[in-house]
Amino acid sequence: MNKMLFLGVALFAATLGANAQRAMTAPAGGKAISDELIGIFFEDISSAADGGLYAELVQNGSFEYSPVERDGWGPGTAWQTIRPGHSLGYTETRMDNSIHPNNPTYMRLNIERVKEYYDYKGWKGFGLQNNGFDGISVKAGAKYDFSAFLRNFKGDAKQVRVVLAVPQGWGKDPKLLAEATLTADAANWKKYEATLTPTETAPNAILQILVLTTGTVDIDVVSLMPQDTYKGHGLRKDLAQALADLHPKFMRFPGGCVVHGGGDGFWNTYRWKTTVGPKEQRRQLKNTWGYHQSMGLGYFEYFQFCEDLNMEPLPILPCGVSCQGANGGWEMWPQQAQDVCPMSEMDEWAQEALDLIEWANGDVNTKWGRVRAEAGHPKPFGLKYLGIGNEEKISPEFAERFKYMYEKVRKAHPEIIIVGTAGPGSHPGNPDYEAGWKLADELQMPIIDEHYYEPNKYFLESRQYDKYPRDRKTKVYLGEYASKDKKLIDALAEALYLLHVERNGDIVCMTSYAPLFARKNATNWNPDMIYFDNERPYLTCSYYVQQMFGQSSGNYYYGDCVKIKDTTNLQEQSVILNTKTRQLFVKVCNASSQKKYADVDLSRFKGVKTAVRTTLSGKPDAENNYETQPIAPKTETVTVKSKMTLDMEPYSFVMLQISL
C-alpha cells in the first residue's frame, strides 16, 4: 500500500472512530438503503486456502493427497525421501490404526542405518523433506511452530531432528536456518512440538525431518505454522489484512461450486461438521477445482475470521442437489445432469442446517454449542444469514428439495434470514433466473442470490436493477459478479455498476465480487480480485474499486445532489450518507475518454468544509500484475463547498469523504 493511500485509510478509520457516538437524522430527500452492500465471497479456488489464506507452510502434511484429485498425485506428493550421510531405510504408506477415520493415511519410516561406516561429519539420518507451496518462505527472527504426530512403532525411542534449511545444490549439505530435536518415545500416536527461529530470511526454504535412531516410526499431520498470523488465528497476515482493508460487511463461504461437489457429485459434497473439530480429525476432501482441501481452514476458522473483521458470516449449505456439472453435465449443455437425493433422505440435509445454527448460536449446554465451546469459542457467533444452495439449475427436483429444507429451517428458526439462489446466469429471460424468482415469490424468500460474469461492455451499459419491481418482498444479493478482465476499464465498469446498485440499494441488499484470491502458477479462473505468491499480495484495479465502496458504506442514498453535464452511460454518481458515523460520501465515475464536469449541491447537509478525496485513474488498458502495479488510489485532503463543480478526468473514479 502506498503512503498516501495508507494515510487516507488511517484517516478514514480514525474519523469513523471519532464519529461513532454522534449519530444523526438523515436530511430530507434520501432513500433508505442497505448498509451491508459490500462484502466478500471466499471460495477455495485457485489455491485460495491451502498455500493461500490458511497460513500452513507444509503441503500435504497429512499424506492425504490422492490420484482421484489429480493424475500422478498420492500420499507422497510434495514430499521426498532423504538419506543424508548414506543412511539407509524405506518408507511405507499405511492406513491401519490411523489417528482418526477421517484422516486415514500416514507414513511409516523404517530406518536401517543412520550413518556410513566411517565417521561422517555432515548431516545424517533418514527421513522426509517438504518444500511447501513452491518453497517455504521464512523471515529471520520470526518464530515458526512445528508439530507432528509420531508413533514409535519398533525399537528404541527415536531421536528426530527437525530442520529448516536452504538447499545448496547436489552433493552439498543445505544451509542451516533453524533446528530442533525431538524424542519420539510414545508407542501410541502423540503430538510433538517445537519452535523454529530462522537466522536468515529465505523465500525458498525446505523442511527436513530426520530420524537419527534405527527402528520404525510412524508420522502424520506434519505442520509448520508461523506464530505471527492474523490476530493469532492461523490466517496469513498480509492476505487477511488485504481483506480487512476492504471494510467488508459480510463474508459468504465456503463456495461456490465447492459447496455441492462441483462436477464430482454427492460423494464430494462439503459437509461443515467434518471441518470444525481438531485438525487431525477433519475429513479432507478433493477440491472441485482439481486439487486438495486439507480443511485446516474450516467452518470454525471462517466464523472466527468473520468475528475478527466484524463481518456477518454467510455460510452456504448444499440442499440435496448436486451441481449441474456433475457426471459430465457441462459437456451436455443445455440439458445438464443433476444428481438428486431421494426425498426420504432430505431430513439429513435439513438437520445439517439446523445443527449449524445450533453450533453457531447455541449456548454451551446444547450438543453443537458445546462442540463450538470445546474448540475455544464458548460465546455464540451470532449467525444471522444462512444460504441454501449455490447456483444450481432451478429444476423441479431442485425446487422441491429447496422448499422442503427452507420450510424446515424457517419453522425452527424464523429469526434466520435465508438466502436462496437464482441459478447460473442471473439475467431476466434466463430460464433458471425466471424459475428461481418464481420460487422466491412463492416462498416470500427474504433474499435471492444472483450471479453473472460479463465483458465490461455489459457493466458499462446495463442498469439491470432500475427495471426490477419495487413491490417484491425478496431482496437481491449479487453474490458473484465481475467484468471478465482486470484492466482499469474493467474496474471502472464495475464502479459504474456499483453506483447503479447503490441507486437501487432498496432492492439490492448485498454484493460480492468473485473470485477473491488466486495463487500465482495455480490459477483456475481469471480475473480475480487479489493475486498472490509466497511473499506478497498483488492488488488489482478491481480491488481498489471494492475498497472505495467498502469505505463509503452508508444507509441513505441521495440521487439529486450531483448533476453530470453531457452524461452518457459511461458516467454515474452517488451520494451516500452514513447517519451512524456522520460521514457523507460523494462518488463520481467517468469511464469515457473525455473530461466531464459534475455540479454538486450539498446544501441540505450541514458542516461541509473539508473532505478526503480519493482518486483512481490511469490508462484504460493498464492493469496491476506481478511485474508492475501502476494503478492505485491517490488520497489527499481538500477544501469543499456546499455547492461546487467537480472535474471528472477521463477514466477516473473519484470519492469525497466528508465529516459532518
Side-chain angles (χ1 to χ4, degrees):
M1 185 180 292
N2 64 44
K3 290 183 178 179
M4 287 300 297
L5 179 58
F6 177 82
L7 290 173
V9 171
L11 177 60
F12 174 85
T15 306
L16 289 187
N19 290 309
Q21 305 301 320
R22 299 193 302 119
M24 62 181 289
T25 301
K31 176 171 63 174
I33 64 170
S34 169
D35 61 357
E36 295 181 340
L37 268 179
I38 304 300
I40 55 177
F41 163 45
F42 184 91
E43 179 173 12
D44 189 357
I45 180 174
S46 300
S47 295
D50 295 329
L53 184 61
Y54 182 47
E56 175 61 62
L57 297 173
V58 172
Q59 184 177 181
N60 191 22
S62 290
F63 308 102
E64 298 295 335
Y65 279 26
S66 165
V68 172
E69 299 166 327
R70 183 175 294 178
D71 288 345
W73 272 19
T77 298
W79 293 95
Q80 64 187 83
T81 302
I82 54 174
R83 45 178 64 85
H86 302 282
S87 301
L88 295 179
Y90 63 98
T91 60
E92 296 177 81
T93 299
R94 307 284 299 210
M95 300 182 71
D96 55 313
N97 299 315
S98 56
I99 292 175
H100 192 273
N102 284 344
N103 184 18
T105 312
Y106 62 92
M107 199 67 70
R108 175 163 290 175
L109 306 182
N110 298 279
I111 304 95
E112 298 178 343
R113 188 175 73 207
V114 296
K115 64 178 180 178
E116 184 54 277
Y117 297 112
Y118 57 84
D119 188 14
Y120 183 72
K121 299 297 184 184
W123 280 13
K124 59 188 178 184
F126 177 84
L128 299 172
Q129 175 177 305
N130 193 283
N131 296 349
F133 299 88
D134 301 321
I136 297 174
S137 178
V138 296
K139 307 299 181 186
K143 296 183 182 300
Y144 298 84
D145 291 331
F146 169 86
S147 65
F149 280 82
L150 301 172
R151 178 170 59 189
N152 186 30
F153 185 74
K154 184 186 297 184
D156 296 336
K158 305 295 185 294
Q159 294 298 299
V160 181
R161 185 183 183 223
V162 181
V163 174
L164 273 174
V166 176
Q168 297 297 296
W170 187 85
K172 297 180 181 178
D173 285 340
K175 184 177 183 180
L176 180 65
L177 300 178
E179 67 176 322
T181 302
L182 307 171
T183 301
D185 53 1
N188 297 309
W189 287 112
K190 177 182 174 182
K191 187 176 183 179
Y192 293 84
E193 299 174 289
T195 299
L196 302 174
T197 306
T199 55
E200 296 181 19
T201 295
N204 59 339
I206 56 175
L207 175 71
Q208 292 189 345
I209 304 166
L210 293 163
V211 184
L212 307 178
T213 310
T214 57
T216 302
V217 64
D218 298 329
I219 184 169
D220 202 359
V221 197
V222 182
S223 172
L224 184 69
M225 181 72 75
Q227 286 189 3
D228 188 19
T229 60
Y230 191 77
K231 297 195 175 182
H233 290 155
L235 301 187
R236 186 171 143 179
K237 202 169 183 180
D238 57 347
L239 299 186
Q241 187 61 54
L243 299 184
D245 290 342
L246 290 169
H247 304 277
K249 299 299 183 182
F250 66 90
M251 183 171 80
R252 170 178 168 232
F253 60 88
C257 290
V258 166
V259 167
H260 49 207
D264 293 305
F266 279 133
W267 70 270
N268 201 43
T269 302
Y270 194 108
R271 311 302 287 265
W272 72 267
K273 292 180 181 178
T274 62
T275 75
V276 298
K279 301 292 176 74
E280 67 273 13
Q281 297 181 14
R282 299 185 182 185
R283 182 173 69 91
Q284 304 189 25
L285 203 63
K286 176 189 176 183
N287 183 283
T288 193
W289 299 103
Y291 54 94
H292 185 84
Q293 298 175 91
S294 74
M295 297 304 176
L297 177 55
Y299 259 59
F300 183 84
E301 289 75 23
Y302 285 128
F303 271 80
Q304 194 169 56
F305 187 50
C306 288
E307 186 175 79
D308 287 343
L309 264 61
N310 197 28
M311 303 181 289
E312 295 288 350
L314 174 49
I316 308 296
L317 294 181
C319 62
V321 178
S322 77
C323 176
Q324 54 269 20
N327 305 315
W330 294 120
E331 285 71 34
M332 295 190 293
W333 182 273
Q335 291 81 12
Q336 297 186 319
Q338 273 183 324
D339 285 333
V340 297
C341 78
M343 285 300 298
S344 60
E345 297 177 8
M346 275 305 298
D347 279 343
E348 174 190 343
W349 301 87
Q351 190 61 46
E352 190 148 313
L354 299 177
D355 290 344
L356 174 61
I357 296 168
E358 182 177 282
W359 177 84
N361 293 352
D363 66 41
V364 296
N365 296 314
T366 62
K367 175 184 175 180
W368 287 102
R370 184 165 56 252
V371 171
R372 182 199 67 242
E374 289 171 350
H377 201 285
K379 181 182 177 182
F381 280 114
L383 178 65
K384 173 181 172 183
Y385 296 108
L386 177 65
I388 299 177
N390 166 73
E391 201 180 85
E392 290 87 357
K393 182 175 179 61
I394 312 299
S395 62
E397 294 81 4
F398 170 82
E400 182 181 20
R401 284 152 183 80
F402 177 91
K403 185 176 180 179
Y404 184 88
M405 191 167 171
Y406 175 89
E407 291 177 342
K408 285 270 190 179
V409 175
R410 289 284 286 176
K411 182 178 180 180
H413 290 283
E415 78 281 5
I416 296 295
I417 301 171
I418 294 179
V419 180
T421 176
S426 303
H427 294 307
N430 181 291
D432 291 309
Y433 169 91
E434 300 296 342
W437 268 103
K438 181 180 179 181
L439 182 61
D441 290 338
E442 175 190 343
L443 298 175
Q444 297 290 281
M445 193 185 301
I447 302 174
I448 193 169
D449 184 7
E450 297 186 348
H451 296 175
Y452 39 90
Y453 300 91
E454 299 291 345
N456 62 43
K457 182 179 179 182
Y458 174 83
F459 295 100
L460 290 169
E461 298 179 356
S462 172
R463 300 296 183 264
Q464 179 167 327
Y465 298 112
D466 286 344
K467 304 178 181 67
Y468 275 42
R470 319 312 286 190
D471 57 351
R472 268 177 166 161
K473 300 293 185 182
T474 304
K475 303 298 183 183
V476 175
Y477 167 34
L478 179 50
E480 294 184 34
Y481 75 98
S483 179
K484 288 185 173 181
D485 207 342
K486 49 184 180 290
K487 296 179 172 60
L488 176 62
I489 189 61
D490 297 282
L492 294 177
E494 292 156 359
L496 286 174
Y497 201 71
L498 284 174
L499 292 170
H500 150 69
V501 165
E502 287 185 327
R503 181 167 69 245
N504 292 281
D506 54 334
I507 291 175
V508 184
C509 61
M510 308 163 89
T511 68
S512 53
Y513 180 103
L516 185 60
F517 281 123
R519 181 179 173 84
K520 184 179 182 180
N521 301 328
T523 299
N524 299 106
W525 184 288
N526 276 301
D528 305 276
M529 192 195 300
I530 301 168
Y531 294 80
F532 65 92
D533 56 23
N534 286 345
E535 300 302 309
R536 58 166 290 187
Y538 297 84
L539 308 178
T540 63
C541 302
S542 293
Y543 172 91
Y544 290 119
V545 165
Q546 294 293 319
Q547 184 183 64
M548 290 169 71
F549 276 92
Q551 291 172 342
S552 58
S553 66
N555 52 341
Y556 280 87
Y557 167 84
Y558 293 83
D560 59 349
C561 295
V562 177
K563 304 294 183 184
I564 300 174
K565 301 176 183 179
D566 304 319
T567 186
T568 67
N569 261 10
L570 299 179
Q571 291 83 41
E572 277 285 4
Q573 59 83 25
S574 177
V575 174
I576 301 295
L577 175 66
N578 189 323
T579 60
K580 300 173 186 176
T581 62
R582 302 180 69 95
Q583 298 291 298
L584 183 68
F585 301 94
V586 179
K587 289 175 279 192
V588 292
C589 184
N590 178 19
S592 76
S593 60
Q594 304 298 315
K595 188 172 184 177
K596 302 285 183 175
Y597 299 90
D599 290 332
V600 181
D601 185 349
L602 304 177
S603 301
R604 73 190 72 181
F605 304 102
K606 305 304 180 184
V608 175
K609 294 180 180 179
T610 62
V612 176
R613 175 178 174 136
T614 304
T615 304
L616 185 72
S617 63
K619 296 180 179 179
D621 290 335
E623 66 177 73
N624 295 341
N625 53 46
Y626 293 107
E627 286 72 40
T628 178
Q629 299 267 291
I631 304 296
K634 295 179 175 59
T635 303
E636 58 183 332
T637 299
V638 297
T639 300
V640 291
K641 298 179 180 179
S642 294
K643 292 184 178 182
M644 57 186 166
T645 298
L646 279 180
D647 294 350
M648 302 170 64
E649 296 297 326
Y651 305 112
S652 66
F653 177 38
V654 176
M655 178 178 76
L656 298 178
Q657 176 214 338
I658 303 167
S659 298
L660 301 177

